[in-house]
Structures are given as structure tokens and as C-alpha cells.
Amino acid sequence: IIVLHGTLKIYRMETLLWHLTRGNALVFIIILGIGGSFQNGFHVTVISSPSPYIWSFINSSWIGRYEETPPPQTVKLLWSAIVSLYAVGGLLGSMSVRCIAGRFGRKRAMIWNNVVNIVAAVIMFTSRGANSFEMILIARFLFGFNAGLGVNIHAIYLGESSPKKIRGMVTLTSATFLSIGKLSGQFVGLREILGREDSWNILLCVSTCFSVVQLLTLPFFPEAPRYLLIEKGNAEACKKALQSLWGRGEYKLEMTEMVVEQAAIKGETSKTLLELLRDRSVRWQLITMVVVYGCIQFSGITAISVFSFDIFKEAGIPLDKIRYVTLGVGVSEVLTSITCGLLIESVGRRALLWGGFGAMSAIMILITITLNLKDYSFWIPYSTVGLIFLFVIFYGGGPAGVLPSLTHEIFIQSCRPAAFVFTGILRWLGFSVLGLVFPFLIELLKSVSFVLFACMGLLASFYIFFYLPETKGKTLLEISEEFKNITLCENPLSVDKTLETRL
């Protein structure tokens, strides 16, 4: 059995590589990733390393300008603004995805988004020479806008460019590049690399090099095939795009599916956010996004990513070792995300989601116990570190890996841009709220705060197990029909007419 299982895994990997290398798909995925979700992951983690140097820069800039030492509360407020303006920019970037992606298309939207990143990098790089902390504020806002817009367009572009049989694996790469971005931010922030006082402004601009690469290379790749056929009605351009990405072929099955979806929406234009929220036919999809995104934000992963230093300090890890332990957590998240990509098409979305959330909930309970018992033995703090590694592994192999695919699959073409606006608002609001609340929460409740995270993970696991339909191997219209058939107390939540799914 073990030999047969290993043989199947090797065969599946060879089939996957064959699909990715027939055309330009593999290079396309990499180019799209380094200018997409990679940017968000990088800026989430990189800001923690130069924080003491930025505090010092704010002090010296204030003294040079006003010839007096700034009040400690003023410096703290400015630092909080530098951190939070990234989230504000991300929120606005997410809210603009429907307008920008609809007007310029997926490819041109990504290209212009790189220009925003380059402008932000120029402002950040020159802020130190100009002795201006206001320039840091502007740059952080623009970096946030770039990340918020880029993450959403990245996921949409991938989903609309991938064939059904490997759609989950392809869209999952956006989560993989997010993890790689987080790891890169932690790595270049080490003191041995760029985490020094004389190079903090360079450190915060490193990821822009990848934006420049995408800006120069993405014009040579095609527009998203689904966008070309369903929204633009250009079947010939759609076929050429599929052949460019996935190799020679007629792609009749893929194009037939797109034609069916185009007929089903009857030429309906892309919905606005308000129209989406008022549409009862997608009510269960919206509820699913609220539950899953909300529980991810409050499952503890954001707290571990942003406040890992404080958590490991609370666990009793020596201060000079914390930076390297955090780097190890980033490596485990990347490896797990890659593994999830090999499993998602065989295991399915539901099992990875409810199993991942359930395991994360159990691990949070164990972390709470070990944090309370850390003084009883020397090995207990290290068991806490091990549990955090396990938590990140189940997160990367479950919710983080499946979510990009799920968000794309449960909404049809006319609803998808507005749906990504909605999920972007959920993501960035949750990030902002937790960033403000968690420092006070851990100070007030100490390790007991992790019990709240465990409850959120358990809630998501139960909801997914009992209500979320499997989306693996189904057309987007078939998935839409399954959501309409969900009942609550034997009564369907949606009473609208179902879409016709036959050609």
C-alpha cells in the first residue's frame, strides 16, 4: 500500500509538471506571484526588524526640525500610524479591485500596480536623506495599496487562467507566494543581511526589485482567458491565451464551460459590492466568506505572524534566538503550502479546511497550557515553539492553501470582482482590528487569550463540515447550484431562480 501510494504521488507530480511545462504556465505563475501576493507577505513581516531604527529616526528628525525632543507619546503615535497606514492602504486597494480590474483588465491592472510599488519605494528610499518621517507614512500607505490591489488581482488572474482539473493547485500558488514573501521579509531583516540601522530604508524597498521584473515581463503574457471570452466575447483571443499558457490544443471543453457561464449570466455586467450584498442567490457564499475569513483572522495566525517576538518572549525563549525561531516558522509555512498544492486536487477543499481549522483549534488549547506551565520545566518553552510550528503547518496546509481557490470557485464571473472587494475588506479590517487589540489582549489575559482563538477555529471547522459543499472538479455553475441547495432548518436560504447549467 505504501509503495502504491508513493507511486501515485510521483505520477500525480509528473502529470502536474507536464501541464505546467507544455506552455508558458510555470513561468507565468512565477512572474505573477513575485509582483502579487509576495509583496503583501514581505511587507507584513519586514517592518518588525527595523522598528527600533525607525523610532530613532523619528526622534532625530523631530529634533532636527523643531530643536526639541518629541514627547514619547508623539513618537509612539507616529510609529502606530506607520504600521496602520499599511492596512489602510491595503483596504483601499482591495476596495478598488473591481473598478480597476474591470476597466483595465487583469493584465494591465497588475502592470500599473507595479508602478505604484516603484513610486512607494522611491519615496521610502529617499525619506532618510530628506530627514522626513512623513515620507515613510506616504510610502507605507502606497505599499499597502499595492498589496491590497495586487493580492486580489493575482488570485483573480490565476483563477481565470487555469483549467478546471488543476484550478485548485494553480490558484493555491498565490498563498505559496504569500508565504515566500513572509519568509523573505524575515530573512533580509536579519542583522547579518539588511537589519542594521544604516540600511533600514533599503530593507523596506527590497521587494520592489521583483515588481520591476514583473513590470518588464508581464506584457509578454496573455490576458486571462475567461475574462477575454466571458466579458469581452473574444473567443479567438481566449483560445490563443489558453494555448500560450498551457500548450497546443483545441480546449473545447474549457471554452464550452465558459460559453455556458456566459449564457447563464445573460450579458450581465460585473456587479457592484452593494448589488452583490443584495443578491439572495449568493447569500450562502457571502456567509461562507464571512465565517472563513473572520475565523482565519481570529484563529491566531495573524497574531503569530505580527507579534511572534512577543509570543516567543512570553514562552521564555532567549531573546537572541527568537529571530531565528521566527525564520524557522516561515520556512515551515512555505513547505506546507507547497505540499498542500500537491494534495488539494486529490483530497479536496472541504477536508483540508475543516481538518486544518480543527487541528489549529486543538493546538491553540495546548499552547495555552504550555504557556501557563512554562516555569515548571526547561523543556516546556521549547514544546510551545514546537506547537507553534505545528499550528503554522496546519494553517499553511489547510485554510491558507485552500482559501484562494475557494474564493475564486464559489462566485461566477459577474460576481467575482465584487466578491474579492468584499473579502478584501474582511481581510484588512480583521488585520487592523487584531493589530490594535492583540497587544492589549495579551497584556490583560496573557496566555488565556489563545483560548479565544481556539474557539474561532472550532466554529469554522463545524461550519465547513456541516454546510460547505465540495468544489473539487466541478464547474463554477455546478458549485453555484450546490450553494443554492443548502438548507437551514429544512428551508433554503435563497429563493431566487437557479441558473441554467446545460448548454
Side-chain angles (χ1 to χ4, degrees), residues 376-502:
Y376 284 82
S377 178
F378 74 94
W379 58 268
I380 292 181
Y382 296 97
S383 68
T384 304
V385 173
L387 287 169
I388 289 176
F389 270 82
L390 275 178
F391 181 86
V392 171
I393 286 170
F394 278 105
Y395 166 74
V402 177
L403 197 57
S405 175
L406 184 70
T407 307
H408 172 82
E409 290 173 334
I410 65 176
F411 293 99
I412 60 174
Q413 189 78 16
S414 59
C415 297
R416 193 173 299 117
F420 272 90
V421 172
F422 180 67
T423 56
I425 292 171
L426 292 176
R427 181 191 301 116
W428 289 99
L429 278 181
F431 183 83
S432 302
V433 170
L434 193 63
L436 289 172
V437 170
F438 185 73
F440 302 100
L441 196 65
I442 198 169
E443 184 178 344
L444 179 66
L445 300 177
K446 298 293 183 182
S447 57
V448 181
S449 59
F450 291 98
V451 175
L452 301 177
F453 297 145
C455 293
M456 296 302 292
L458 199 60
L459 170 66
S461 183
F462 282 140
Y463 174 84
I464 292 161
F465 185 82
F466 288 108
Y467 288 104
L468 183 68
E470 180 57 73
T471 62
K472 181 186 73 172
K474 297 175 183 175
T475 68
L476 304 186
L477 289 178
E478 288 170 346
I479 295 167
S480 179
E481 290 299 325
E482 290 213 19
F483 270 98
K484 289 181 180 181
N485 293 330
I486 297 176
T487 58
L488 187 64
C489 300
E490 304 303 323
N491 291 314
L493 190 63
S494 173
V495 296
D496 288 3
K497 293 188 295 182
T498 59
L499 293 170
E500 178 62 61
T501 59
R502 291 171 296 177

Side-chain angles (χ1 to χ4, degrees), residues 223-502:
E223 179 60 271
R226 295 186 72 88
Y227 171 79
L228 290 171
L229 197 152
I230 297 176
E231 294 196 26
K232 296 299 182 182
N234 193 336
E236 188 61 31
C238 171
K239 184 177 178 180
K240 287 181 179 178
L242 287 168
Q243 291 172 336
S244 172
L245 292 173
W246 305 103
R248 293 181 180 180
E250 293 300 316
Y251 296 99
K252 291 181 180 179
L253 184 62
E254 287 80 4
M255 294 184 68
T256 298
E257 179 196 336
M258 296 179 203
V259 170
V260 171
E261 187 175 340
Q262 185 186 42
I265 63 178
K266 298 179 176 65
E268 184 181 12
T269 57
S270 177
K271 292 180 183 290
T272 65
L273 179 58
L274 286 177
E275 288 171 343
L276 181 73
L277 295 175
R278 291 169 181 166
D279 188 352
R280 289 184 59 84
S281 66
V282 295
R283 191 64 51 85
W284 273 111
Q285 288 94 317
L286 293 175
I287 291 172
T288 299
M289 289 295 97
V290 170
V291 171
V292 175
Y293 272 91
C295 290
I296 280 182
Q297 290 294 340
F298 295 96
S299 67
I301 188 63
T302 303
I304 287 174
S305 297
V306 179
F307 301 101
S308 55
F309 185 91
D310 297 323
I311 294 169
F312 288 132
K313 182 181 176 182
E314 176 72 14
I317 304 300
L319 295 180
D320 59 331
K321 305 294 183 186
I322 289 178
R323 189 74 65 190
Y324 302 98
V325 174
T326 305
L327 195 64
V329 172
V331 172
S332 66
E333 185 176 346
V334 172
L335 294 177
T336 310
S337 181
I338 295 170
T339 305
C340 182
L342 302 175
L343 296 175
I344 190 170
E345 295 298 348
S346 56
V347 177
R349 283 61 156 163
R350 283 185 74 252
L352 289 174
L353 273 174
W354 72 259
F357 272 118
M360 288 161 63
S361 177
I363 292 168
M364 272 297 169
I365 296 293
L366 294 175
I367 289 175
T368 304
I369 295 171
T370 57
L371 285 175
N372 280 291
L373 300 177
K374 65 179 181 180
D375 297 326
Y376 284 82
S377 178
F378 74 94
W379 58 268
I380 292 181
Y382 296 97
S383 68
T384 304
V385 173
L387 287 169
I388 289 176
F389 270 82
L390 275 178
F391 181 86
V392 171
I393 286 170
F394 278 105
Y395 166 74
V402 177
L403 197 57
S405 175
L406 184 70
T407 307
H408 172 82
E409 290 173 334
I410 65 176
F411 293 99
I412 60 174
Q413 189 78 16
S414 59
C415 297
R416 193 173 299 117
F420 272 90
V421 172
F422 180 67
T423 56
I425 292 171
L426 292 176
R427 181 191 301 116
W428 289 99
L429 278 181
F431 183 83
S432 302
V433 170
L434 193 63
L436 289 172
V437 170
F438 185 73
F440 302 100
L441 196 65
I442 198 169
E443 184 178 344
L444 179 66
L445 300 177
K446 298 293 183 182
S447 57
V448 181
S449 59
F450 291 98
V451 175
L452 301 177
F453 297 145
C455 293
M456 296 302 292
L458 199 60
L459 170 66
S461 183
F462 282 140
Y463 174 84
I464 292 161
F465 185 82
F466 288 108
Y467 288 104
L468 183 68
E470 180 57 73
T471 62
K472 181 186 73 172
K474 297 175 183 175
T475 68
L476 304 186
L477 289 178
E478 288 170 346
I479 295 167
S480 179
E481 290 299 325
E482 290 213 19
F483 270 98
K484 289 181 180 181
N485 293 330
I486 297 176
T487 58
L488 187 64
C489 300
E490 304 303 323
N491 291 314
L493 190 63
S494 173
V495 296
D496 288 3
K497 293 188 295 182
T498 59
L499 293 170
E500 178 62 61
T501 59
R502 291 171 296 177

